Amino acid sequence: MAKILMKGNEAIAEAAIRAGCEAYFGYPITPQSEVLEYMSRRMPELGRAFVQAESELAAINMVYGAACGGARVMTSTSSPGFSLMQEGISYIIASEVPAVVVNVMRGGPGLGNIQPSQADYFQMTKGGGHGDYFPIVLAPSTVQETVDLVILAFDLADKYRWVVEIIADGMIGQIMEPVELPPMKEPERPPRPWALTGAKGRPKNIITSLYLGAQNLERLNLRLQERLREIVANEVRYDTFMLDDAEIVLVAYGTAARICQTAITLARQEGIKVGLFRPITVFPFPYDELDKLADRVREFLVVELNAGQALEDVRLAIHDRKPIRFFGKLGGVVPLPEDILEEIKKLQ
């Protein structure tokens, strides 16, 4: 199939459409506004639902309603908007309905700027909203991988009746790259006997996040925790680059990882044995795979566009058995490959 040149945000939108997204609700906020703009044109063309909500609070609750009706549904936003959606995401998890949420992060805290940042890692991977839950979080590093992971996100959301999030940044949202799109087709979906589709001819369904009584709420939580254990056991994804003989391992995801690949190529030209371990699922995080890797390498360097957040997961994985260094840039500043190369050389 021929490749076409697409901006990351537009590729996110088209991938969702080809995955069978039936309803999109959102609010414009840079650097992801093109997702909403693209959906505003394409969804009506296909007879699907598009609503520009009055706020991110409204958008996530529209997602909640459509999900309860059994629709394949998505919203997208950027960091401040994602913060506003947290209560709604918690309600969706408690109600056990599937939804996809895309966060094209900006620099922060506060209103921040529209430059690339990975400062929402903790918020996205450690729950975000209230209660005991963790969404599935997928971290693409190219526009093509973004397409692939958006499609996967809808399938995982359906499989587990769960919230699946895409953690991207302003660079991935704005960069243009060749992509191969899957053919448009009706997705195969699991049965939805739980959906609110009208009770004619069947017992009524009730979807709620309100469980009065501690025992009732504990039963819900135990059910959610059992599903989380299944997700952790089956949905870990990661990639590696030049890792076979590496003595130094860089750990990075998203935009930081693609910059690291160039730095590693430069380091290899100078005879430095360095490789990359790239988590694709940042929840569930590939703890076991990093733990095994620690047995055969000398040192780790974690590279992020924040003050050190995935760093905490790397420490949990390795249990301080090997030295772990950190290199980060804040507020939307993006390092050059040569900057990372200098950090690699410090470990020699």
Side-chain angles (χ1 to χ4, degrees):
M1 184 180 295
K3 291 188 176 183
I4 60 173
L5 190 65
M6 294 193 78
K7 180 180 282 192
N9 283 334
E10 294 180 347
I12 288 170
E14 185 61 33
I17 288 167
R18 295 184 182 227
C21 180
E22 297 164 288
Y24 172 90
F25 310 99
Y27 186 78
I29 177 173
T30 53
Q32 69 78 49
S33 295
E34 292 94 344
V35 179
L36 180 139
E37 292 168 1
Y38 192 95
M39 286 296 214
S40 72
R41 176 175 59 85
R42 287 283 283 135
M43 293 291 275
E45 287 177 353
L46 298 167
R48 303 182 191 182
F50 168 87
V51 177
Q52 179 178 314
E54 62 268 32
S55 70
E56 290 89 354
L57 290 170
I60 194 63
N61 283 288
M62 291 176 185
V63 167
Y64 184 15
C68 290
R72 274 201 157 185
V73 59
M74 184 181 88
T75 187
S76 62
T77 188
S78 186
S79 304
F82 186 70
S83 294
L84 291 172
M85 291 182 176
Q86 294 312 306
E87 180 185 38
I89 291 173
S90 179
Y91 277 51
I92 293 169
I93 289 281
S95 298
E96 302 177 87
V97 294
V100 174
V101 179
V102 176
N103 181 9
V104 183
M105 298 173 287
R106 55 163 60 189
L111 185 59
N113 59 32
I114 63 172
Q115 307 306 314
S117 174
Q118 296 176 326
D120 298 356
Y121 181 91
F122 278 156
Q123 185 181 36
M124 295 189 72
T125 62
K126 307 307 178 188
H130 56 287
D132 282 313
Y133 76 89
F134 300 96
I136 299 171
V137 188
L138 307 173
S141 65
T142 67
V143 177
Q144 180 64 64
E145 189 173 38
T146 302
V147 168
D148 299 338
L149 292 184
V150 166
I151 292 168
L152 174 65
F154 280 97
D155 290 339
L156 292 177
D158 275 346
K159 179 179 179 180
Y160 294 104
R161 289 171 59 184
W162 208 252
V163 173
V164 182
E165 298 173 353
I166 302 291
I167 183 171
D169 61 66
M171 182 172 287
I172 291 173
Q174 295 297 319
I175 198 171
M176 296 188 73
E177 292 184 320
V179 296
E180 183 176 314
L181 295 166
M184 185 80 72
K185 63 178 182 179
E186 187 70 17
E188 295 181 5
R189 301 174 197 161
R192 287 169 159 78
W194 47 265
L196 305 183
T197 57
K200 185 176 181 180
R202 65 162 172 81
K204 67 180 180 181
N205 290 335
I206 297 175
I207 295 177
T208 183
S209 68
L210 176 62
Y211 289 80
L212 296 176
Q215 289 78 18
N216 290 334
L217 188 54
E218 184 181 44
R219 279 193 288 272
L220 168 69
N221 273 277
L222 290 174
R223 189 162 67 244
L224 296 179
Q225 292 303 310
E226 179 60 31
R227 203 167 306 160
L228 272 172
R229 284 190 287 272
E230 185 181 355
I231 290 168
V232 170
N234 295 297
E235 304 303 341
V236 171
R237 290 170 170 82
Y238 64 95
D239 194 18
T240 63
F241 179 71
M242 294 190 175
L243 205 55
D244 289 345
D245 63 342
E247 298 174 356
I248 300 169
V249 176
L250 274 58
V251 182
Y253 61 93
T255 290
R258 62 189 296 161
I259 300 170
C260 283
Q261 286 191 356
T262 303
I264 288 167
T265 301
L266 296 173
R268 286 280 179 168
Q269 292 171 1
E270 299 187 25
I272 304 172
K273 292 182 178 181
V274 58
L276 173 69
F277 184 93
R278 180 173 68 90
I280 296 174
T281 50
V282 288
F283 187 88
F285 192 83
Y287 292 111
D288 291 344
E289 291 72 18
L290 265 179
D291 184 38
K292 295 172 185 175
L293 185 59
D295 291 332
R296 64 177 182 84
V297 303
R298 193 182 79 227
E299 197 160 0
F300 290 85
L301 173 64
V302 180
V303 180
E304 296 185 80
L305 306 183
N306 58 40
Q309 296 185 25
L311 172 65
E312 299 298 319
D313 282 322
V314 176
R315 285 173 172 160
L316 286 171
I318 294 170
H319 307 292
D320 294 323
R321 291 187 291 123
K322 294 292 171 67
I324 304 171
R325 313 296 179 187
F326 176 74
F327 178 67
K329 289 290 186 179
L330 306 174
V333 176
V334 179
L336 296 172
E338 290 78 10
D339 299 327
I340 299 172
L341 176 61
E342 288 304 309
E343 295 300 314
I344 293 171
K345 289 180 177 178
K346 293 176 184 178
L347 305 181
Q348 287 294 95

